[in-house]
Amino acid sequence: MQPGDRVRVERGGVTNEGVLLPSTTRDHLVVKLDGGYNVGIDREAADVEVVESGVREVDPAAETDGDGDATSEITFDDDLPTVSLISTGGTIASTVDYRTGAVTAQFDAEDVLRAVPELAGRANYRGRVVANILSENMVPSIWRDLAAAVAEEVEAGADGVVVMHGTDTMQYSASALSFMLDSPVPVVFTGSQRSADRPSSDNVMNAVCAVEAAKADHAETLVCMHAAPSDDACALHRGTRVRKNHTSRRDAFETVGAAPLGVIDYEAAAEAGADGDAADAAVEWNREPLPRGDDEGTVGVESGLDGDVELVKFTPGMDPAAWDYLDGKDGVVIEGTGLGHVHTDLIPQIEELVEGGAVVAMTSQCLAGRVCDRVYDTGRDLLDAGVVEAGDTLPGTAKVKLMWALANRSDPAEAMGRDLAAELTEESRPWR
């Protein structure tokens, strides 16, 4: 039997019939069922019958070498732009582990090219793996590695960079690179909510749109994900204003307080191919993006981060002792209520943090609007205690910003109150 054959597999009293696919291990058979889902079956004691040979053509690029490892070849065309694919893991670069049945992050950039053949002919690709983790395991040291990798790729001639990342913490990583890098070319984060093994996977559309966004005429750090549940368009969110607002929907990401910076039409993106002008035509900008830099080989990098920063959420009835662990921290971001408040009993503890040298910044639990601690007595007491207002900066972005500002700015408290990377509006007006 060969990949592409229709097989009937019986094991343990269960019968599965479908098309045999290449397997990443010798111990398991992978069968695509008629409903579109894949199943992994332990070869041991399995009874396999070939029902029909060669019913489906299997891409030779997905074949394995003599050791059972996946192989691929990436060719270069001088007429195409170069896009670097940087992998950190996550669902877009994942498949099902048929030993456990769970989704695992085990693919690198070349595997994505094999999994998404629609990327072929759009660009020359360079691939590198910075990490191979599920995004809940992301740590600031990987942000530094990621910033260095992006800078190296751009300085080596990349016309754009696509970062493949798990969705759960993508907003933090995109925010970090927004502060750490002054890139003359696009840096586009993308991922998928559903693995390639699922019929409803969003990996193809997100990857295609991300590559086209990386070829377009701008120099933003963006998150590119589904704009709606259907396969019509991807939204382009600024890395410092985006938030994952749903656990599982394909359109889980939103720009808080405004429309996305832009939208890329999938049909137009799919047709764009190698035509750079077509890539720009596929994007509709809601606001003017940062232009590409004149010197596309030079990247400004300030990758220092102070890891001694915490984000804490105030809730009614919480024990003040829960904040004792903040003593000695270099920075604290508070997610307060409404305009930026906490229980008055916590204010002396906050004042002690400030007197101990910590920068304490106030954000809001509300999804839109800005902090203003001059309206109520509690807010004024917080300002007297030394709390810095972070405006309408999102709490997660504020944590990343404070980590960065403590390491790269002489007055980090002052930096928290002004816009550095499109993370806050300096005037009290609606986002446009």
Side-chain angles (χ1 to χ4, degrees), residues 78-426:
D78 291 339
D79 295 330
L80 293 177
T82 297
V83 174
S84 291
L85 303 179
I86 298 180
S87 176
T88 66
T91 303
I92 196 170
S94 294
T95 189
V96 170
D97 181 342
Y98 291 105
R99 179 181 59 83
T100 64
V103 174
T104 60
Q106 60 184 12
F107 281 7
D108 62 18
E110 290 190 359
D111 291 305
V112 172
L113 293 178
R114 284 194 295 268
V116 188
E118 291 85 351
L119 294 180
R122 298 177 176 277
N124 297 317
Y125 297 104
R126 288 206 303 264
R128 63 191 293 174
V129 178
V130 169
N132 202 4
I133 59 172
L134 294 169
S135 73
E136 58 264 31
N137 296 326
M138 183 59 64
V139 291
S141 62
I142 299 179
W143 295 340
R144 288 191 288 267
D145 294 341
L146 186 55
V150 170
E152 289 172 5
E153 291 298 312
V154 175
E155 290 168 356
D159 299 298
V161 177
V162 172
V163 179
M164 296 170 292
H165 196 292
T167 60
D168 283 357
T169 61
M170 186 189 295
Q171 65 202 52
Y172 294 91
S173 298
S175 179
L177 262 63
S178 298
F179 293 113
M180 298 164 81
L181 294 179
D182 181 10
S183 172
V185 305
V187 179
V188 183
F189 283 75
T190 194
S192 63
Q193 288 285 82
R194 302 171 188 178
S195 68
D197 302 76
R198 299 179 62 182
S200 60
S201 178
D202 51 341
N203 70 329
V204 170
M205 175 169 156
N206 291 344
V208 167
C209 288
V211 166
E212 294 304 317
K215 291 162 51 183
D217 187 15
H218 67 94
E220 295 280 352
T221 297
L222 301 173
V223 168
C224 175
M225 295 288 289
H226 265 58
S230 60
D231 291 332
D232 296 330
C234 278
L236 302 177
H237 309 278
R238 269 191 170 129
T240 55
R241 290 303 307 178
V242 66
R243 188 176 190 272
K244 184 177 180 179
N245 280 342
H246 198 281
T247 58
S248 57
R249 283 173 61 115
R250 300 197 296 175
D251 58 336
F253 285 79
E254 298 179 30
T255 293
V256 175
L261 180 63
V263 176
I264 182 163
D265 180 84
Y266 179 45
E267 183 175 352
E271 294 174 353
D275 188 342
D277 293 335
D280 284 314
V283 181
E284 180 179 350
W285 298 106
N286 293 317
R287 297 179 294 282
E288 193 69 24
L290 295 173
R292 279 183 178 262
D294 294 330
D295 186 356
E296 295 193 359
T298 302
V299 183
V301 183
E302 291 181 291
S303 59
L305 292 169
D306 186 327
D308 204 21
V309 175
E310 291 291 342
L311 169 61
V312 294
K313 183 182 184 74
F314 167 74
T315 57
M318 70 184 307
D319 186 347
W323 283 18
D324 288 348
Y325 80 101
L326 299 174
D327 292 344
K329 294 291 182 183
D330 294 337
V332 176
V333 175
I334 300 173
E335 189 177 314
T337 62
L339 292 170
H341 299 147
V342 299
H343 195 288
T344 54
D345 289 350
L346 287 170
I347 295 177
Q349 194 169 357
I350 293 171
E351 187 171 16
E352 290 178 5
L353 290 172
V354 176
E355 291 175 350
V359 176
V360 180
M362 181 63 71
T363 63
S364 177
Q365 297 168 11
C366 300
L367 291 184
R370 64 193 302 109
V371 165
C372 183
D373 280 318
R374 293 169 176 80
V375 178
Y376 297 101
D377 287 344
T378 298
R380 292 177 179 271
D381 291 340
L382 285 164
L383 293 176
D384 290 340
V387 169
V388 179
E389 294 175 310
D392 56 358
T393 307
L394 302 178
T397 298
K399 176 183 178 178
V400 175
K401 179 180 179 180
L402 184 51
M403 295 171 69
W404 181 86
L406 284 164
N408 296 282
R409 291 294 178 265
S410 59
D411 189 349
E414 182 272 339
M416 292 302 294
R418 61 184 176 89
D419 178 49
L420 301 178
E423 76 279 5
L424 71 90
T425 53
E426 296 192 36

